[in-house]
Amino acid sequence: MADVIELNEIPTLSLLYKLNRIPIASDQASSYEPNVAYNDKISIIKQDITSLAIDAIVNAANESLLGGGGVDGAIHRAAGPDLVEECRTLDGCEAGDAKITDGYELPSKKVIHAVGPRWYALSAPDAEAKLKSCYRRGLELAVENDLKSIAFPAISTGVFSYPNVKACNDALTEVREFLDEGKGDGLQRIIFCNFLQKDQDIYYKHVSKHFPPVAEVEETDEVTKTSTDETEIAAKLPDPPTTEPKHPDEPSSKKQKTEAAEDDFVVVDKDDAKGTPKGEL
Ligand code: ADP
């Protein structure tokens, strides 16, 4: 099992800005107000989500909720067989919705199973609405269950073939909207947990449009100097990206997208990989 990562080891967006880890492109004017409380709440990391010792991790599940490939398989393997036993009692879940279970042998207390849209099976607006709904339902369930920290994988961007850049922007838009509606005040941390370097680079590139940096104030000893904790977190961070996001090979053999334009996909047997019978759509 991967080393366990505690919440206090995960850098906030505020810290990433302070360390100049997030590029602010001149063509990325934000229509959103900078908000320090939000930037203290948001994290972007590249990790195996099953290693996070937080309140809830989100699973990119399929409608059966009985396990599948990708992050779903990794979560079920790490949680042990009791997870699928509880999932059996849930009677499945529709795309765009989410259901919650215990985390069992995972370091995370709870798992929120969200069913993302299959990009290739829906119109773009329908897929977008369902993807955004996954993020919203995940956040709602966290709040309803008094959970303070939640990590999302890049839902639907694997087997379900949602374009990565659009998925990132749709996720960030929905989370920002949820916070702007005042619904996430009780949440301490919302983590975008990427598995692929490609997705990590995309989140680093696009986050400032949705969660712009707050203008720096003059440093005082009490407030803005980098704390000892922050210094320790910073020391563990990888170097910031120096090139545009590229499209490397997926780490496993279940790569679904072509290397060409983002919207240029090859349709393959994705449902088999997810353990869902074909023709259910
Ligand atoms: P979907 O069917 O929703 O596309 P996948 O599991 O195929 O779900 O992929 C969703 C995302 O999860 C992809 O970006 C993939 O790289 C990522 N992923 C796979 N394994 C893990 C993991 N252990 N931790 C975090 N993310 C993961």
Side-chain angles (χ1 to χ4, degrees):
M1 188 180 145
D3 286 347
V4 168
I5 295 162
E6 306 284 342
L7 186 62
N8 64 9
E9 296 177 78
I10 300 174
T12 64
L13 183 58
S14 294
L15 178 58
L16 294 175
Y17 278 135
K18 200 159 151 183
L19 299 171
N20 293 320
R21 297 289 172 144
I22 304 285
I24 317 238
S26 50
D27 62 343
Q28 287 193 12
S30 175
S31 51
Y32 293 107
E33 283 296 313
N35 184 313
V36 72
Y38 293 177
N39 294 353
D40 286 344
K41 237 185 250 281
I42 298 291
S43 291
I44 299 169
I45 53 169
K46 180 175 169 289
Q47 281 297 342
D48 177 350
I49 205 166
T50 65
S51 67
L52 304 184
I54 58 173
D55 287 349
I57 60 169
V58 176
N59 182 14
N62 61 47
E63 289 86 342
S64 77
L65 297 187
L66 300 180
V71 68
D72 198 2
I75 287 175
H76 275 271
R77 275 192 301 279
D82 289 342
L83 178 60
V84 79
E85 284 310 312
E86 183 175 357
C87 285
R88 274 188 225 290
T89 68
L90 298 178
D91 199 22
C93 183
E94 287 181 6
D97 201 359
K99 294 192 177 175
I100 189 164
T101 65
D102 275 342
Y104 299 99
E105 292 169 39
L106 284 162
S108 164
K109 288 185 204 146
K110 298 281 181 185
V111 180
I112 293 174
H113 305 263
V115 182
R118 291 167 173 77
W119 176 258
Y120 50 88
L122 297 170
S123 68
D126 285 352
E128 178 182 317
K130 287 201 180 341
L131 186 74
K132 287 180 169 175
S133 175
C134 285
Y135 284 87
R136 179 164 291 262
R137 290 292 301 131
L139 295 171
E140 285 173 350
L141 281 171
V143 171
E144 282 163 26
N145 288 276
D146 204 25
L147 305 171
K148 305 292 183 205
S149 51
I150 179 169
F152 289 94
I155 299 172
S156 281
T157 63
V159 175
F160 285 178
S161 298
Y162 205 100
N164 301 67
V165 172
K166 179 168 171 53
C168 164
N169 281 298
D170 291 346
L172 289 166
T173 301
E174 192 64 14
V175 169
R176 172 83 203 207
E177 207 163 298
F178 189 83
L179 294 177
D180 281 345
E181 289 165 14
K183 295 181 176 161
D185 293 351
L187 291 169
Q188 285 166 5
R189 200 72 76 83
I190 302 167
I191 301 160
F192 296 97
C193 179
N194 296 308
F195 195 62
L196 302 179
Q197 187 61 45
K198 169 177 71 173
D199 288 315
Q200 178 76 347
D201 292 348
I202 290 170
Y203 268 83
Y204 267 34
K205 181 173 177 193
H206 290 270
V207 68
S208 67
K209 274 185 297 188
H210 306 268
F211 295 97
V214 178
E216 276 184 30
V217 289
E218 207 174 305
E219 292 202 345
T220 67
D221 281 347
E222 302 92 57
V223 196
T224 53
K225 280 216 174 113
T226 309
S227 69
T228 313
D229 275 0
E230 287 177 336
T231 310
E232 280 170 15
I233 296 172
K236 292 184 192 162
L237 286 174
D239 290 335
T242 53
T243 53
E244 286 289 294
K246 54 182 190 297
H247 294 257
D249 286 334
E250 299 269 343
S252 73
S253 57
K254 72 181 186 71
K255 176 169 167 26
Q256 308 300 320
K257 297 179 189 173
T258 64
E259 293 294 312
E262 173 158 277
D263 295 317
D264 187 12
F265 297 110
V266 203
V267 175
V268 295
D269 288 348
K270 303 164 186 88
D271 296 326
D272 285 351
K274 293 291 282 189
T276 307
K278 282 201 173 113
E280 269 191 6
L281 297 169

